[in-house]
Amino acid sequence: MKTIRAYIKRHKVLAYYALVFTISWGGILFAVGVGPGGLPATKEQAEILFPFVLLALFAGPSMAGILLTGLFYGRAGFRNLLSRMTRWRVGARWYAVALLTAPLLVTATLLALSISSPEFLPRILTSNEKAALLLFGIGWGLVGGGLLEELGWTGFAVPTLLRQRHGILGTGLIVGLLWGAWHFLVSFWGSGTSSGALSLAIFLPAIIFYVGSLPAYRVLMVWVYDRTGESMLVAMLMHAVFSASMLILQPVGIALVASLIWTLVLAAALWVVVAAVAVAQGRRLTRQPLRKRVA
C-alpha cells in the first residue's frame, strides 16, 4: 500500500488523468450499459440518457481534482485552490483577453468563410430562438466548462505540470491534448444521433477540433493563468466563453466538407494567435522563472 501511495505521489498528473478517465468514461459506459443506450446513440437514446452522460463527463475532472488536492496537499491545498478561484484583481486587459479571444476568433472565422457560402453564418444569426440560445450557451459555459472542468484542469493539472517545469507551451499541449481526448467517448456516443448510425459529419470535425483547436486554446489559457498570478477565476471565465461561443456561434446541420473546413480554419487561427503571442513575448511565454507551487 505504501509503495502504491509513493508511486502515485511521484506521478501526480498520471494519477489525476487516470482518475478523470475512470470516472468520466466509466460513468458514461455505465449509463449507456444500464440505460436504453448504445454506441453510437440514436436520437431517442441520446434524449433519454443525455443528462446522465453529461453528469458522468463533468464529474471526472472536478471530482479527481478535488480528491487529489485533498490527498496530496490537505487543507493547505484547498485553501490555495479557493484563493486561486477568487483571485480577481488582475487588470482589465486580462479580462478582455479572457472574454473576447474566443468570440472574436470564432465570429471572424465564420464570417470570413460565409463570404463563400451562407452555410458558414454564425448560428446566432440564423436561429429563431436567439435569447434561448444565448442563455443556454452562457449557462453551459459557466457551469460545465468554466466551473466543473476547470476545478480539475486548472485547479490541479496545470499547476502540477508548471511546478514540474514543463513550461507554458508544454503544459498547454499536454493538458490540451488530454482535454480533447476526454471528449472522445461522448462525441462518439453522440455521433449517431441524426440517423442511428455513425455520422462522420458530426464525429470527424469534432476530432479535428479536439486535436487542433483545444491544445492551442489551452496554451493561451495557461499563458493567461501564469500572467495573472495564477488566477483560476480568469481561466474559468476564458473556458466558459470558449464553450459558450462554440454553442452560440458554430453552424449546425452543415455538410461534412464544410464542417471540416471551418474547424481546420479555426484551429489554424488559434495557432496563429499562439505564435503571435510567443513572438510578442520574445519567444518566451512564461512570466517569470517557474517556482515551486502548491496545486
Side-chain angles (χ1 to χ4, degrees):
M1 189 69 180
K2 289 183 178 180
T3 303
I4 296 175
R5 185 181 178 88
Y7 179 85
I8 292 174
K9 291 190 74 172
R10 289 197 306 270
H11 301 88
K12 294 182 177 68
V13 175
L14 178 62
Y16 170 72
Y17 279 105
L19 189 56
V20 167
F21 280 86
T22 298
I23 295 172
S24 291
W25 285 23
I28 292 171
L29 291 173
F30 178 79
V32 171
V34 172
L39 291 171
T42 64
K43 183 177 181 180
E44 292 73 23
Q45 292 166 349
E47 289 176 351
I48 294 171
L49 295 176
F50 182 73
F52 303 102
V53 169
L54 197 64
L55 180 63
L57 184 72
F58 287 134
S62 55
M63 288 182 62
I66 291 171
L67 287 172
L68 293 189
T69 295
L71 176 65
F72 294 134
Y73 305 106
R75 292 182 180 179
F78 288 127
R79 286 194 297 268
N80 180 269
L81 180 66
L82 181 61
S83 173
R84 288 183 290 129
M85 288 179 65
T86 56
R87 194 164 297 162
W88 61 273
R89 295 182 179 180
V90 299
R93 63 174 178 163
W94 295 112
Y95 283 105
V97 171
L99 296 174
L100 297 178
T101 299
L104 288 179
L105 271 180
V106 175
T107 301
T109 298
L110 290 171
L111 289 180
L113 290 171
S114 70
I115 296 174
S116 63
S117 172
E119 66 181 332
F120 291 110
L121 283 171
R123 183 181 182 183
I124 190 65
L125 298 181
T126 60
S127 174
N128 295 323
E129 300 179 350
K130 291 179 173 57
L133 181 60
L134 282 170
L135 289 174
F136 178 75
I138 293 171
W140 178 287
L142 287 172
V143 177
L147 176 61
L148 296 178
E149 288 189 47
E150 291 309 316
L151 275 173
W153 308 146
T154 304
F156 186 87
V158 168
T160 302
L161 286 166
L162 289 175
R163 190 175 63 252
Q164 294 173 356
R165 299 185 179 276
H166 285 280
I168 288 175
L169 180 61
T171 297
L173 288 174
I174 293 170
V175 177
L177 287 170
L178 289 170
W179 184 22
W182 172 76
H183 288 87
F184 176 85
L185 186 60
V186 73
S187 295
F188 182 78
W189 173 75
S191 63
T193 56
S194 60
S195 62
L198 181 63
S199 173
L200 295 179
I202 297 174
F203 190 60
L204 286 183
I207 296 302
I208 292 173
F209 176 73
Y210 298 148
V211 174
S213 298
L214 292 190
Y217 196 75
R218 181 57 65 173
V219 170
L220 294 174
M221 287 183 65
V222 176
W223 173 66
V224 170
Y225 172 76
D226 181 76
R227 290 278 170 157
T228 55
E230 302 177 350
S231 172
M232 265 186 69
L233 176 62
V234 177
M236 292 164 81
L237 289 173
M238 196 167 178
H239 186 154
V241 171
F242 188 52
S243 297
S245 297
M246 295 303 299
L247 283 168
I248 294 168
L249 297 173
Q250 69 174 336
V252 293
I254 61 177
L256 174 59
V257 173
S259 295
L260 293 174
I261 290 172
W262 116 257
T263 49
L264 283 169
V265 173
L266 178 63
L270 282 165
W271 281 112
V272 167
V273 173
V274 171
V277 170
V279 170
Q281 299 296 316
R283 299 183 182 180
R284 183 179 180 84
L285 294 173
T286 307
R287 174 174 56 95
Q288 56 191 16
L290 296 176
R291 58 194 181 282
K292 189 173 181 179
R293 312 177 192 203
V294 178

